[in-house]
Amino acid sequence: NPHYEQMPLGWANAVMEDVCKITDAPSVVGEELPYLDVKYLRGKGDAKIETKGKLVGEGCKLILVDGENSGEVFVAPHRGYQGSTFKKLEISSQMLDEYVLLIILANRKLLKENKVGSAIPHLNKKLFRALNIGIPPINEQRRIVKAYNNYISLLDRILLECG
């Protein structure tokens, strides 16, 4: 934490690769399943049915690694084949998934501004793995996620009332 010399009691400093990994799902052939691409996961298109691909289960976290919005994370709504612009994001069982996803969200601008590749921008995986992360005790992770969600709900209500 660049603002403090010492972490709060019970907290630890780590880097993102200590709490999650970017991997490929296993390849499968022969099962008819939806293809989970960006358009489908954003609700802007129907799922194509494929008979081969990299199989992910319901609830699997998928991180966009190719394209303008690299670093964006989606949750698979059901079993399907991971889109070609995604990798599987595996979060340590020692961490609260929602907390890690908030840390990624908080670093989206940094990740977006530091993509690699010229023709098609890609997530800078080296930068992603090296992101500093403060790790509070699990109860504090829950409290932080709850506070964030409460503020987002409040902002949504304010926008609805003003809109």
Side-chain angles (χ1 to χ4, degrees):
N1 186 337
H3 301 290
Y4 300 100
E5 292 294 317
Q6 253 182 316
M7 297 296 290
L9 187 63
W11 285 56
N13 258 329
V15 291
M16 192 60 77
E17 79 177 330
D18 292 335
V19 298
C20 64
K21 305 281 184 245
I22 295 175
T23 64
D24 263 324
S27 292
V28 174
V29 176
E31 191 173 354
E32 286 189 6
L33 290 168
Y35 183 69
L36 307 175
D37 63 5
V38 175
K39 282 184 182 180
Y40 176 71
L41 292 174
R42 286 194 176 128
K44 296 185 178 183
D46 294 328
K48 298 174 195 152
I49 301 299
E50 298 284 339
T51 57
K52 63 181 178 178
K54 295 176 180 175
L55 181 64
V56 295
E58 179 180 345
C60 178
K61 279 60 171 186
L62 299 170
I63 186 165
L64 195 54
V65 294
D66 293 335
E68 187 59 32
N69 292 310
S70 294
E72 187 174 358
V73 179
F74 296 85
V75 178
H78 46 73
R79 286 180 79 227
Y81 296 120
Q82 123 192 350
S84 63
T85 58
F86 287 106
K87 294 284 185 187
K88 191 173 171 186
L89 183 67
E90 296 178 358
I91 300 173
S92 166
S93 62
Q94 304 289 317
M95 299 293 296
L96 188 65
D97 287 2
E98 294 86 353
Y99 178 76
V100 175
L101 296 177
L102 281 181
I103 298 299
I104 294 170
L105 181 63
N107 285 283
R108 285 275 317 278
K109 183 178 181 195
L110 175 69
L111 294 170
K112 189 172 185 168
E113 291 173 351
N114 289 282
K115 290 193 250 3
V116 294
S118 52
I120 298 174
H122 305 286
L123 176 69
N124 185 333
K125 291 178 192 153
K126 183 176 179 180
L127 174 66
F128 179 85
R129 289 190 293 266
L131 286 174
N132 285 317
I133 176 172
I135 303 177
I138 196 77
N139 287 338
E140 184 69 5
Q141 290 178 41
R142 286 187 187 102
R143 191 189 71 72
I144 290 167
V145 168
K146 184 178 179 181
Y148 173 82
N149 288 337
N150 287 341
Y151 287 122
I152 292 300
S153 292
L154 178 61
L155 287 172
D156 287 344
R157 284 196 309 269
I158 291 169
L159 288 173
L160 259 173
E161 291 172 6
C162 294

